[in-house]
Amino acid sequence: MEKQLLVPLLLACISLNIYATSVKTEDAAYKVVEKSIFKNKLTGLKADCIKYRINENAEQYEVNAFEIHNKKCGGDPSIERRMFGYLVDKNTGKLQTDAMRDDIDWDGDYHSIQ
């Protein structure tokens, strides 16, 4: 009987994202953003052709992704192009991005993403 109650409770907790992971360092913010970028196929660039700038405030990290332009990655080295940004909630690990995606109508605002 207890097992029958435990499974629905566990599934409810997972669906409510109760087990969200806090993000407490810039390195951790970078890692979750990079994972999300490739999971969601936001760019065709390889990881070593992207650089990140991170700003921090009390509640979140702002992570901006830029194209690297050089011989290996291509492009004009005198131009630095921002591709998109992420907001990473420090307490919940929840991500938002202003990247263009197929699942939203792009308006330049930040929208939730996994």
Side-chain angles (χ1 to χ4, degrees), residues 28-45:
Y30 152 75
K31 286 178 182 175
V32 297
V33 165
E34 185 175 61
K35 182 177 178 180
S36 175
I37 288 170
F38 291 105
K39 174 186 173 187
N40 292 287
K41 299 178 176 128
L42 298 182
T43 182
L45 295 176

Side-chain angles (χ1 to χ4, degrees), residues 17-79:
N17 203 18
I18 289 175
Y19 296 109
T21 305
S22 63
V23 177
K24 297 297 182 190
T25 66
E26 286 186 5
D27 189 53
Y30 152 75
K31 286 178 182 175
V32 297
V33 165
E34 185 175 61
K35 182 177 178 180
S36 175
I37 288 170
F38 291 105
K39 174 186 173 187
N40 292 287
K41 299 178 176 128
L42 298 182
T43 182
L45 295 176
K46 294 183 180 185
D48 57 354
C49 290
I50 302 170
K51 70 178 176 179
Y52 301 90
R53 288 207 185 109
I54 300 175
N55 296 311
E56 176 182 5
N57 66 37
E59 296 85 29
Q60 65 190 12
Y61 294 99
E62 179 183 8
V63 182
N64 288 291
F66 294 84
E67 292 178 349
I68 293 176
H69 292 170
N70 58 26
K71 282 186 178 183
K72 180 180 180 183
C73 299
D76 182 345
S78 66
I79 297 173

